[in-house]
Amino acid sequence: MDNEGVIVVKDGKSTKLKGLAVNGKSVSRAYALKGANETFILIFDNRESDTMSRNKIVAGNWKMNPSSKDEAVELANTLKRAIGSVASECKCVIFPPTCFIDAVATALADCDVEVGAQNVHYEKTGAYTGQVSVSQVKSCGATWVMVGHSETREYIADDNSLFNKQIQASLQNGLKVIYCVGEDVSEYESNISGDVVRVQLAGGLLGITPEQMANVVVAYEPIWAIGTGKTCSNMQANVMHEVIRKWIKEKYGTEVAEKAMICYGGSVNASNTQNLVAEAEIDGVMAGGASLKLDFATIVDRAFGRQ
Ligand code: PGA
């Protein structure tokens, strides 16, 4: 460290620094992470991310809600009115249940909010009862696909090679992808979150080219924070986003990594969005429960710095 002085950083908090340099590079923030055996790991952030701008994203995962097409259209219209227009460097995407994609996309056709599918099959056509193909959801108005959500990992298949096929098929057919990764509670408690996420990234993104990465957003969604009301602290989320960006950088180089959008999901609400997106590595949020309410418009405002 080039400066003298004491830095006090508490677990779970990031502290902004002024005039501090480590190995000749200025440092804008320090983070403290509680590691194993009550030790603290200090992480210095000397990226210029505070000043650099990356595109931002807010996604709404409606899961298996609402219960009818009429309600879905009503919700889409309510959110459309509240969200208004979205700047070109910001993306706002709603993921309704597959059977409502058409109706929701029609309702949102005259606004900047896009629509995505919560799941697709990787084959083009065939005897796959209960499945939908990329071209089918595309023809209904979807421009995005969500892949690897922990609920599909848990209830359908925890298989990174399957997710890889879905990502390949989606990108080849011109759809953008949100690829969800994240550790469960026991992996979190065993301090192996980084390893878990790196395996998910390597499996899911196998063979994806640097050019294709422009259409891939990674969503970091710690499973223990989904639908539980337990948000991962901003600092913890930021550290995991840093792990993800580092992995992208190692595989695809600095330019792809710096442009890649990485968003956070897990008990996101109107109150915690602002602090999450204030972190250097967090480029947006994915909301589940909160995307079914008017709160989603507030989340959009806060994530895009509109209030
Ligand atoms: P939640 O869901 O916001 O209700 O926790 C997030 C998600 O599943 O993407």
Side-chain angles (χ1 to χ4, degrees), residues 21-35:
V22 176
N23 297 334
K25 285 189 177 170
S26 67
V27 173
S28 59
R29 280 165 190 266
Y31 304 94
L33 244 196
K34 202 181 242 171

Side-chain angles (χ1 to χ4, degrees), residues 61 63 149-151 221 225-228 265-268 286-290:
N61 177 10
K63 310 192 182 192
H149 190 278
S150 61
E151 286 152 18
E221 299 210 312
I226 295 178
T228 57
S267 296
V268 167
M286 174 134 88

Side-chain angles (χ1 to χ4, degrees), residues 9 30 34 79 93 97 104 114 121 123 125 130 172 179 207 230 243 265 294 304:
V9 195
K34 202 181 242 171
L79 294 178
V93 196
V104 169
E114 295 181 66
H121 198 279
E123 289 290 357
T125 52
Q172 279 159 19
Y179 180 45
K230 285 184 199 159
V243 167
L294 209 47
F304 295 164

